[in-house]
Amino acid sequence: MSAKRLASITPFHVMKLLARARELEAQGRSVVHMEIGEPDFITPQPVTDAGIRALQQGKTHYTPAAGLPALREAIARHYHDQFGVSVDARRILVTPGASGALQLILAVLVDPGSQVLMADPGYPCNRNFVYLYEGEPVMIPAGPEHGYQLSAGLLEQYWTGRTRCVMLASPSNPTGTVVSGGMLQAMLGFIRQREGSLIVDEIYQNLCYHGKPQTALALGEDIFVINSFSKYFGMTGWRLGWLVAPEAYIDDLDMLAQNLFLAASTPAQHAALAAFEAPTREVLEQRRRELQRRRDYLLPALRSLGFGIPVEPQGAFYLYADCSRFTGNSYTFTTTLLEEAGVAITPGIDFGHYQADRHVRFAYTTSMEKLQLGVERLASFIA
Ligand SMILES: Cc1ncc(COP(=O)(O)O)c(C=O)c1O
Protein backbone atom coordinates (compact mmCIF):
# COMPACT_ATOMS: atom_id res chain seq x y z
CA MET A 1 0.00 0.00 0.00
CA SER A 2 1.28 3.48 -0.85
CA ALA A 3 2.42 5.81 1.94
CA LYS A 4 -0.23 8.00 3.57
CA ARG A 5 1.33 11.20 2.22
CA LEU A 6 0.17 10.14 -1.24
CA ALA A 7 -3.42 10.90 -0.18
CA SER A 8 -2.72 14.66 -0.44
CA ILE A 9 -1.05 14.58 -3.86
CA THR A 10 -3.33 15.54 -6.74
CA PRO A 11 -3.04 14.48 -10.39
CA PHE A 12 -2.98 16.85 -13.36
CA HIS A 13 -6.51 16.69 -14.75
CA VAL A 14 -5.19 17.97 -18.04
CA MET A 15 -3.19 14.76 -18.54
CA LYS A 16 -6.46 12.81 -18.75
CA LEU A 17 -7.74 15.38 -21.22
CA LEU A 18 -4.54 15.10 -23.27
CA ALA A 19 -4.82 11.29 -23.33
CA ARG A 20 -8.42 11.59 -24.56
CA ALA A 21 -7.32 14.14 -27.21
CA ARG A 22 -4.68 11.68 -28.46
CA GLU A 23 -7.32 8.93 -28.56
CA LEU A 24 -9.62 11.14 -30.67
CA GLU A 25 -6.71 11.95 -32.99
CA ALA A 26 -5.95 8.24 -33.38
CA GLN A 27 -9.58 7.86 -34.51
CA GLY A 28 -8.96 10.49 -37.21
CA ARG A 29 -10.46 13.52 -35.42
CA SER A 30 -8.62 16.85 -35.53
CA VAL A 31 -7.80 18.49 -32.20
CA VAL A 32 -6.45 22.02 -31.62
CA HIS A 33 -4.07 21.78 -28.66
CA MET A 34 -4.22 24.81 -26.40
CA GLU A 35 -3.64 22.81 -23.23
CA ILE A 36 0.07 22.06 -23.53
CA GLY A 37 2.58 24.01 -21.42
CA GLU A 38 5.41 23.89 -23.95
CA PRO A 39 5.73 25.74 -27.26
CA ASP A 40 5.65 23.85 -30.56
CA PHE A 41 9.21 25.04 -31.40
CA ILE A 42 12.01 22.47 -31.27
CA THR A 43 15.35 23.06 -29.52
CA PRO A 44 17.44 25.73 -31.33
CA GLN A 45 19.94 24.12 -33.72
CA PRO A 46 23.15 25.40 -32.03
CA VAL A 47 22.01 23.79 -28.76
CA THR A 48 21.16 20.49 -30.43
CA ASP A 49 24.53 20.54 -32.25
CA ALA A 50 26.39 21.11 -28.98
CA GLY A 51 24.49 18.18 -27.42
CA ILE A 52 25.35 15.89 -30.36
CA ARG A 53 29.02 16.93 -30.21
CA ALA A 54 29.13 16.14 -26.49
CA LEU A 55 27.71 12.66 -27.09
CA GLN A 56 30.15 12.01 -29.96
CA GLN A 57 33.05 13.11 -27.77
CA GLY A 58 32.01 10.63 -25.09
CA LYS A 59 30.87 13.25 -22.57
CA THR A 60 28.49 10.79 -21.02
CA HIS A 61 29.76 10.43 -17.46
CA TYR A 62 28.38 12.08 -14.32
CA THR A 63 29.17 15.74 -13.74
CA PRO A 64 29.60 17.11 -10.20
CA ALA A 65 26.23 17.15 -8.36
CA ALA A 66 26.05 20.95 -8.52
CA GLY A 67 26.57 20.87 -12.28
CA LEU A 68 29.28 21.40 -14.88
CA PRO A 69 31.51 24.24 -13.60
CA ALA A 70 31.53 25.83 -17.09
CA LEU A 71 27.71 25.91 -17.15
CA ARG A 72 27.47 27.43 -13.66
CA GLU A 73 29.91 30.10 -14.85
CA ALA A 74 27.89 30.65 -18.05
CA ILE A 75 24.71 31.14 -16.00
CA ALA A 76 26.52 33.63 -13.73
CA ARG A 77 27.74 35.52 -16.83
CA HIS A 78 24.18 35.52 -18.17
CA TYR A 79 22.97 37.32 -15.01
CA HIS A 80 25.74 39.83 -15.40
CA ASP A 81 25.29 40.41 -19.13
CA GLN A 82 21.51 40.55 -19.27
CA PHE A 83 20.60 42.00 -15.87
CA GLY A 84 23.78 43.65 -14.62
CA VAL A 85 23.59 41.49 -11.48
CA SER A 86 26.67 39.81 -10.16
CA VAL A 87 26.07 36.27 -8.86
CA ASP A 88 28.86 34.01 -7.59
CA ALA A 89 28.78 30.80 -9.69
CA ARG A 90 29.14 28.89 -6.40
CA ARG A 91 25.59 29.96 -5.53
CA ILE A 92 24.23 28.36 -8.73
CA LEU A 93 23.23 24.68 -8.85
CA VAL A 94 22.25 22.97 -12.09
CA THR A 95 19.23 20.68 -11.64
CA PRO A 96 17.03 18.23 -13.58
CA GLY A 97 14.56 20.94 -14.74
CA ALA A 98 13.14 23.65 -12.54
CA SER A 99 11.27 20.69 -11.03
CA GLY A 100 14.55 19.44 -9.54
CA ALA A 101 15.29 22.93 -8.20
CA LEU A 102 11.84 23.14 -6.55
CA GLN A 103 12.34 19.77 -4.86
CA LEU A 104 15.78 20.73 -3.52
CA ILE A 105 14.77 24.14 -2.21
CA LEU A 106 11.62 22.92 -0.50
CA ALA A 107 13.58 20.01 0.99
CA VAL A 108 16.00 22.40 2.72
CA LEU A 109 13.29 24.78 3.91
CA VAL A 110 10.22 22.74 4.86
CA ASP A 111 9.94 20.92 8.18
CA PRO A 112 6.89 18.76 8.89
CA GLY A 113 4.10 21.23 9.71
CA SER A 114 5.84 24.25 8.11
CA GLN A 115 3.51 26.47 6.13
CA VAL A 116 4.41 27.68 2.65
CA LEU A 117 2.42 30.61 1.26
CA MET A 118 1.55 30.60 -2.46
CA ALA A 119 -0.99 32.19 -4.77
CA ASP A 120 -4.17 30.39 -5.82
CA PRO A 121 -4.29 30.02 -8.83
CA GLY A 122 -0.71 28.85 -9.19
CA TYR A 123 1.60 26.15 -10.51
CA PRO A 124 0.10 22.90 -9.16
CA CYS A 125 3.31 20.95 -8.44
CA ASN A 126 4.36 23.47 -5.78
CA ARG A 127 1.68 22.44 -3.32
CA ASN A 128 2.33 18.76 -4.02
CA PHE A 129 6.06 19.13 -3.27
CA VAL A 130 5.16 20.81 0.03
CA TYR A 131 2.84 17.88 0.89
CA LEU A 132 5.61 15.45 0.00
CA TYR A 133 7.79 17.06 2.70
CA GLU A 134 4.84 16.99 5.11
CA GLY A 135 4.49 20.75 5.12
CA GLU A 136 1.28 22.66 4.64
CA PRO A 137 0.74 24.67 1.48
CA VAL A 138 -1.35 27.74 2.23
CA MET A 139 -3.07 28.70 -0.99
CA ILE A 140 -3.97 32.36 -0.85
CA PRO A 141 -6.88 33.43 -3.07
CA ALA A 142 -5.37 35.92 -5.52
CA GLY A 143 -7.97 37.19 -7.98
CA PRO A 144 -7.73 39.84 -10.70
CA GLU A 145 -7.90 42.63 -8.11
CA HIS A 146 -4.46 41.39 -6.96
CA GLY A 147 -3.21 40.81 -10.52
CA TYR A 148 -3.39 37.08 -9.53
CA GLN A 149 -0.21 37.59 -7.46
CA LEU A 150 0.64 37.84 -3.76
CA SER A 151 1.37 41.17 -2.10
CA ALA A 152 2.87 42.32 1.23
CA GLY A 153 -0.70 42.92 2.46
CA LEU A 154 -1.75 39.35 1.65
CA LEU A 155 1.40 37.95 3.29
CA GLU A 156 0.64 39.89 6.45
CA GLN A 157 -2.91 38.56 6.45
CA TYR A 158 -1.86 34.91 6.08
CA TRP A 159 1.47 34.78 7.99
CA THR A 160 1.43 32.63 11.15
CA GLY A 161 4.00 31.31 13.62
CA ARG A 162 4.37 28.25 11.38
CA THR A 163 5.02 30.10 8.11
CA ARG A 164 8.46 29.24 6.72
CA CYS A 165 8.51 30.60 3.20
CA VAL A 166 6.68 32.24 0.32
CA MET A 167 6.67 30.99 -3.27
CA LEU A 168 5.85 33.09 -6.28
CA ALA A 169 6.23 32.82 -10.02
CA SER A 170 6.71 35.87 -12.20
CA PRO A 171 5.46 35.73 -14.93
CA SER A 172 3.00 33.24 -13.49
CA ASN A 173 1.55 29.98 -14.68
CA PRO A 174 -1.48 30.00 -15.30
CA THR A 175 -2.09 33.77 -15.47
CA GLY A 176 0.99 35.23 -17.19
CA THR A 177 0.98 38.18 -14.78
CA VAL A 178 4.19 39.72 -13.45
CA VAL A 179 5.11 40.96 -9.94
CA SER A 180 6.45 44.52 -10.17
CA GLY A 181 9.82 45.39 -8.64
CA GLY A 182 8.10 47.54 -6.02
CA MET A 183 5.68 44.80 -4.97
CA LEU A 184 8.51 42.29 -4.76
CA GLN A 185 10.62 44.66 -2.67
CA ALA A 186 7.69 45.20 -0.27
CA MET A 187 7.11 41.44 0.10
CA LEU A 188 10.81 40.84 0.64
CA GLY A 189 10.93 43.51 3.33
CA PHE A 190 8.03 41.85 5.16
CA ILE A 191 9.53 38.35 4.83
CA ARG A 192 12.92 39.55 6.11
CA GLN A 193 11.26 41.04 9.20
CA ARG A 194 9.67 37.65 9.92
CA GLU A 195 12.89 35.76 9.19
CA GLY A 196 11.23 33.72 6.46
CA SER A 197 12.48 32.88 2.98
CA LEU A 198 11.36 34.01 -0.45
CA ILE A 199 11.39 31.65 -3.45
CA VAL A 200 10.88 33.26 -6.85
CA ASP A 201 10.24 31.04 -9.87
CA GLU A 202 11.58 32.89 -12.92
CA ILE A 203 11.09 30.07 -15.42
CA TYR A 204 9.13 32.41 -17.76
CA GLN A 205 11.50 35.35 -17.14
CA ASN A 206 12.55 35.95 -20.73
CA LEU A 207 9.05 35.43 -22.07
CA CYS A 208 7.95 38.98 -21.21
CA TYR A 209 6.09 41.11 -23.73
CA HIS A 210 6.15 44.48 -21.96
CA GLY A 211 9.26 46.16 -20.67
CA LYS A 212 12.51 44.47 -19.79
CA PRO A 213 12.62 41.13 -17.96
CA GLN A 214 13.70 41.46 -14.32
CA THR A 215 15.37 39.16 -11.82
CA ALA A 216 14.65 39.04 -8.09
CA LEU A 217 18.40 38.50 -7.62
CA ALA A 218 18.82 42.26 -8.08
CA LEU A 219 17.15 42.69 -4.65
CA GLY A 220 19.62 40.72 -2.54
CA GLU A 221 21.56 37.53 -1.93
CA ASP A 222 19.04 36.06 0.52
CA ILE A 223 16.47 35.06 -2.13
CA PHE A 224 16.02 31.63 -3.71
CA VAL A 225 15.57 31.89 -7.48
CA ILE A 226 14.48 29.10 -9.80
CA ASN A 227 14.96 29.01 -13.54
CA SER A 228 15.05 26.50 -16.38
CA PHE A 229 16.22 25.73 -19.87
CA SER A 230 12.74 24.33 -20.58
CA LYS A 231 10.50 27.15 -21.69
CA TYR A 232 12.30 30.16 -23.21
CA PHE A 233 15.33 28.10 -24.22
CA GLY A 234 13.15 25.42 -25.87
CA MET A 235 14.67 22.45 -24.04
CA THR A 236 11.73 20.91 -22.13
CA GLY A 237 12.65 17.32 -22.94
CA TRP A 238 16.34 17.71 -22.05
CA ARG A 239 15.30 18.17 -18.39
CA LEU A 240 17.61 20.94 -17.28
CA GLY A 241 17.13 23.88 -14.94
CA TRP A 242 18.97 25.74 -12.21
CA LEU A 243 18.61 27.45 -8.88
CA VAL A 244 20.40 30.32 -7.19
CA ALA A 245 20.44 30.10 -3.40
CA PRO A 246 21.79 32.10 -0.47
CA GLU A 247 25.38 31.07 0.28
CA ALA A 248 24.46 29.50 3.64
CA TYR A 249 22.28 26.83 1.99
CA ILE A 250 24.64 25.76 -0.82
CA ASP A 251 26.37 22.88 0.98
CA ASP A 252 23.06 21.36 2.09
CA LEU A 253 21.57 21.74 -1.38
CA ASP A 254 24.64 20.13 -2.92
CA MET A 255 24.45 17.23 -0.46
CA LEU A 256 20.77 16.71 -1.24
CA ALA A 257 21.41 16.86 -4.99
CA GLN A 258 24.06 14.13 -4.58
CA ASN A 259 21.47 11.94 -2.92
CA LEU A 260 18.38 12.76 -4.95
CA PHE A 261 19.75 12.90 -8.52
CA LEU A 262 23.57 12.47 -8.40
CA ALA A 263 23.66 15.12 -11.16
CA ALA A 264 21.63 16.58 -14.02
CA SER A 265 21.98 15.05 -17.49
CA THR A 266 25.55 15.47 -18.81
CA PRO A 267 24.79 15.83 -22.56
CA ALA A 268 22.01 18.29 -21.70
CA GLN A 269 24.46 20.41 -19.68
CA HIS A 270 26.95 20.50 -22.55
CA ALA A 271 24.15 21.41 -24.96
CA ALA A 272 23.01 24.22 -22.64
CA LEU A 273 26.45 25.85 -22.87
CA ALA A 274 25.31 27.00 -26.33
CA ALA A 275 22.01 28.41 -25.00
CA PHE A 276 23.36 31.83 -24.02
CA GLU A 277 25.39 32.38 -27.19
CA ALA A 278 24.36 35.07 -29.68
CA PRO A 279 23.14 32.79 -32.53
CA THR A 280 20.86 30.93 -30.12
CA ARG A 281 19.59 34.12 -28.48
CA GLU A 282 18.67 35.44 -31.94
CA VAL A 283 16.48 32.40 -32.59
CA LEU A 284 14.96 32.63 -29.11
CA GLU A 285 14.12 36.32 -29.44
CA GLN A 286 12.43 35.63 -32.77
CA ARG A 287 10.35 32.97 -31.04
CA ARG A 288 9.48 35.34 -28.23
CA ARG A 289 8.15 37.81 -30.81
CA GLU A 290 6.11 35.03 -32.42
CA LEU A 291 4.61 34.14 -29.03
CA GLN A 292 3.74 37.81 -28.52
CA ARG A 293 2.02 37.86 -31.94
CA ARG A 294 -0.03 34.83 -30.89
CA ARG A 295 -0.94 36.44 -27.56
CA ASP A 296 -1.92 39.67 -29.32
CA TYR A 297 -4.27 37.67 -31.53
CA LEU A 298 -5.74 35.30 -28.93
CA LEU A 299 -6.36 37.78 -26.10
CA PRO A 300 -8.84 40.05 -27.95
CA ALA A 301 -10.32 37.05 -29.80
CA LEU A 302 -11.23 35.31 -26.53
CA ARG A 303 -12.47 38.51 -24.97
CA SER A 304 -14.79 39.15 -27.91
CA LEU A 305 -16.19 35.61 -27.55
CA GLY A 306 -17.18 36.51 -23.97
CA PHE A 307 -14.30 35.08 -21.91
CA GLY A 308 -13.29 37.35 -19.03
CA ILE A 309 -9.57 38.21 -19.01
CA PRO A 310 -9.56 41.31 -16.80
CA VAL A 311 -5.79 41.58 -16.29
CA GLU A 312 -3.61 41.72 -19.39
CA PRO A 313 -1.02 38.93 -19.08
CA GLN A 314 2.48 40.32 -19.58
CA GLY A 315 4.39 37.12 -20.06
CA ALA A 316 4.62 33.30 -20.26
CA PHE A 317 2.32 31.75 -22.90
CA TYR A 318 -0.96 31.41 -21.06
CA LEU A 319 -4.30 33.18 -20.84
CA TYR A 320 -6.35 32.48 -17.72
CA ALA A 321 -9.95 33.12 -18.65
CA ASP A 322 -13.23 33.39 -16.76
CA CYS A 323 -15.71 31.14 -18.58
CA SER A 324 -18.66 31.69 -16.22
CA ARG A 325 -20.72 33.22 -19.02
CA PHE A 326 -20.89 29.77 -20.57
CA THR A 327 -20.73 27.32 -17.68
CA GLY A 328 -20.79 26.86 -13.92
CA ASN A 329 -18.36 23.95 -14.20
CA SER A 330 -15.14 24.63 -16.08
CA TYR A 331 -14.06 20.97 -15.92
CA THR A 332 -17.17 19.75 -17.74
CA PHE A 333 -16.76 22.68 -20.13
CA THR A 334 -13.25 21.51 -21.11
CA THR A 335 -14.28 17.87 -21.60
CA THR A 336 -17.37 18.77 -23.65
CA LEU A 337 -15.38 21.28 -25.69
CA LEU A 338 -12.89 18.56 -26.55
CA GLU A 339 -15.49 15.94 -27.44
CA GLU A 340 -17.82 18.20 -29.41
CA ALA A 341 -15.53 20.82 -30.94
CA GLY A 342 -12.03 19.28 -30.92
CA VAL A 343 -10.40 22.03 -28.81
CA ALA A 344 -8.24 21.06 -25.83
CA ILE A 345 -7.77 23.57 -22.94
CA THR A 346 -6.96 23.15 -19.25
CA PRO A 347 -9.60 23.34 -16.50
CA GLY A 348 -9.10 25.78 -13.60
CA ILE A 349 -9.10 22.92 -11.08
CA ASP A 350 -5.51 22.10 -12.07
CA PHE A 351 -4.28 25.41 -10.60
CA GLY A 352 -6.03 25.48 -7.23
CA HIS A 353 -9.45 25.94 -5.71
CA TYR A 354 -10.17 29.65 -5.79
CA GLN A 355 -12.87 30.21 -8.45
CA ALA A 356 -11.45 27.20 -10.28
CA ASP A 357 -14.93 26.22 -11.47
CA ARG A 358 -15.23 29.39 -13.48
CA HIS A 359 -11.78 29.48 -15.07
CA VAL A 360 -9.87 27.72 -17.84
CA ARG A 361 -6.31 28.17 -19.15
CA PHE A 362 -5.49 28.65 -22.83
CA ALA A 363 -1.86 28.05 -23.90
CA TYR A 364 -0.78 29.75 -27.12
CA THR A 365 1.88 27.14 -27.70
CA THR A 366 0.61 26.16 -31.14
CA SER A 367 0.77 27.89 -34.55
CA MET A 368 -1.24 31.00 -35.42
CA GLU A 369 -3.25 28.99 -37.99
CA LYS A 370 -4.22 26.45 -35.37
CA LEU A 371 -5.11 29.16 -32.86
CA GLN A 372 -7.40 30.73 -35.47
CA LEU A 373 -9.01 27.36 -36.12
CA GLY A 374 -9.43 26.90 -32.35
CA VAL A 375 -11.15 30.27 -32.03
CA GLU A 376 -13.52 29.43 -34.94
CA ARG A 377 -14.42 26.13 -33.29
CA LEU A 378 -14.92 27.82 -29.91
CA ALA A 379 -17.19 30.42 -31.50
CA SER A 380 -19.51 27.82 -33.01
CA PHE A 381 -19.39 25.68 -29.84
CA ILE A 382 -20.47 28.63 -27.71
CA ALA A 383 -23.14 29.67 -30.23
C1 LIG B 1 5.88 27.89 -12.99
C2 LIG B 1 6.59 26.63 -13.35
N1 LIG B 1 7.64 26.24 -12.61
C3 LIG B 1 8.30 25.10 -12.88
C4 LIG B 1 7.95 24.29 -13.94
C5 LIG B 1 8.75 23.04 -14.20
O1 LIG B 1 9.46 23.11 -15.39
P1 LIG B 1 10.74 22.22 -15.77
O2 LIG B 1 10.91 21.18 -14.75
O3 LIG B 1 10.44 21.68 -17.15
O4 LIG B 1 11.91 23.16 -15.82
C6 LIG B 1 6.87 24.67 -14.76
C7 LIG B 1 6.43 23.82 -15.88
O5 LIG B 1 5.39 23.99 -16.49
C8 LIG B 1 6.17 25.88 -14.46
O6 LIG B 1 5.13 26.30 -15.19
Side-chain angles (χ1 to χ4, degrees):
M1 203 170 78
S2 302
K4 290 192 193 71
R5 71 172 66 85
L6 266 291
S8 321
I9 311 288
T10 45
F12 266 135
H13 292 86
V14 71
M15 295 315 283
K16 211 164 131 191
L17 206 98
L18 180 61
R20 178 63 187 147
R22 300 278 185 232
E23 221 172 76
L24 291 174
E25 285 173 317
Q27 293 165 10
R29 288 267 311 271
S30 130
V31 175
V32 176
H33 290 277
M34 292 199 259
E35 81 283 35
I36 297 175
E38 61 178 339
D40 46 341
F41 315 123
I42 59 168
T43 301
Q45 197 58 46
V47 175
T48 303
D49 290 344
I52 293 171
R53 266 197 314 276
L55 288 170
Q56 285 170 337
Q57 290 166 0
K59 293 178 176 162
T60 53
H61 296 100
Y62 293 133
T63 68
L68 210 59
L71 184 57
R72 296 167 77 194
E73 291 290 346
I75 296 169
R77 254 194 326 276
H78 161 67
Y79 281 115
H80 176 267
D81 296 349
Q82 188 177 343
F83 302 99
V85 175
S86 124
V87 180
D88 186 342
R90 214 189 101 73
R91 291 176 51 221
I92 298 168
L93 259 70
V94 178
T95 53
S99 306
L102 283 164
Q103 287 171 62
L104 287 178
I105 292 175
L106 289 169
V108 297
L109 292 180
V110 175
D111 277 313
S114 295
Q115 290 179 331
V116 180
L117 308 188
M118 56 186 79
D120 180 353
Y123 180 57
C125 299
N126 292 347
R127 61 175 186 270
N128 286 328
F129 288 141
V130 175
Y131 282 129
L132 206 55
Y133 296 125
E134 297 178 12
E136 188 187 317
V138 178
M139 294 161 66
I140 302 179
E145 67 284 9
H146 296 285
Y148 302 107
Q149 291 281 4
L150 300 182
S151 63
L154 283 172
L155 298 188
E156 188 155 15
Q157 208 178 318
Y158 284 86
W159 198 278
T160 73
R162 286 197 289 129
T163 307
R164 177 67 190 89
C165 55
V166 175
M167 300 182 83
L168 19 120
S170 177
S172 126
N173 176 5
T175 66
T177 58
V178 166
V179 179
S180 73
M183 297 276 283
L184 193 61
Q185 182 87 58
M187 284 191 266
L188 184 62
F190 176 84
I191 294 165
R192 280 176 178 155
Q193 270 174 18
R194 307 291 167 116
E195 297 183 0
S197 295
L198 174 62
I199 306 168
V200 185
D201 184 337
E202 298 186 340
I203 182 168
Y204 298 103
Q205 175 179 60
N206 266 313
L207 292 173
C208 268
Y209 311 117
H210 295 282
K212 280 189 168 174
Q214 306 290 330
T215 175
L217 293 169
L219 299 182
E221 297 195 348
D222 55 347
I223 303 164
F224 290 86
V225 162
I226 284 165
N227 213 317
S228 177
F229 290 98
S230 284
K231 310 285 177 166
Y232 171 71
F233 294 99
M235 295 180 69
T236 43
W238 297 76
R239 308 307 305 128
L240 201 66
W242 74 87
L243 63 84
V244 184
E247 176 72 41
Y249 291 89
I250 293 299
D251 289 344
D252 283 344
L253 287 163
D254 191 331
M255 178 185 68
L256 273 176
Q258 294 161 20
N259 282 283
L260 286 178
F261 329 114
L262 294 187
S265 152
T266 301
Q269 293 189 64
H270 284 280
L273 283 170
F276 301 111
E277 287 174 5
T280 310
R281 286 304 290 261
E282 255 168 55
V283 174
L284 297 176
E285 282 304 294
Q286 218 175 317
R287 291 175 177 185
R288 187 181 59 77
R289 288 191 290 276
E290 170 58 17
L291 286 169
Q292 174 160 10
R293 204 168 74 89
R294 294 176 185 179
R295 185 205 65 157
D296 292 348
Y297 161 71
L298 193 59
L299 176 62
L302 292 178
R303 279 177 171 161
S304 68
L305 288 180
F307 288 94
I309 309 174
V311 186
E312 182 162 323
Q314 295 156 300
F317 32 65
Y318 307 115
L319 299 174
Y320 190 64
D322 185 327
C323 57
S324 58
R325 253 184 80 175
F326 315 115
T327 180
N329 182 331
S330 61
Y331 183 73
T332 317
F333 183 76
T334 58
T335 51
T336 320
L337 179 68
L338 175 62
E339 296 294 335
E340 292 181 11
V343 176
I345 56 174
T346 307
I349 183 77
D350 269 346
F351 308 103
H353 306 300
Y354 180 61
Q355 298 192 338
D357 267 357
R358 53 192 291 176
H359 285 88
V360 289
R361 186 193 74 178
F362 290 85
Y364 42 97
T365 45
T366 188
S367 71
M368 195 65 146
E369 294 66 37
K370 287 191 182 140
L371 292 180
Q372 282 162 348
L373 178 62
V375 168
E376 275 168 31
R377 289 181 181 180
L378 261 170
S380 33
F381 176 76
I382 288 164

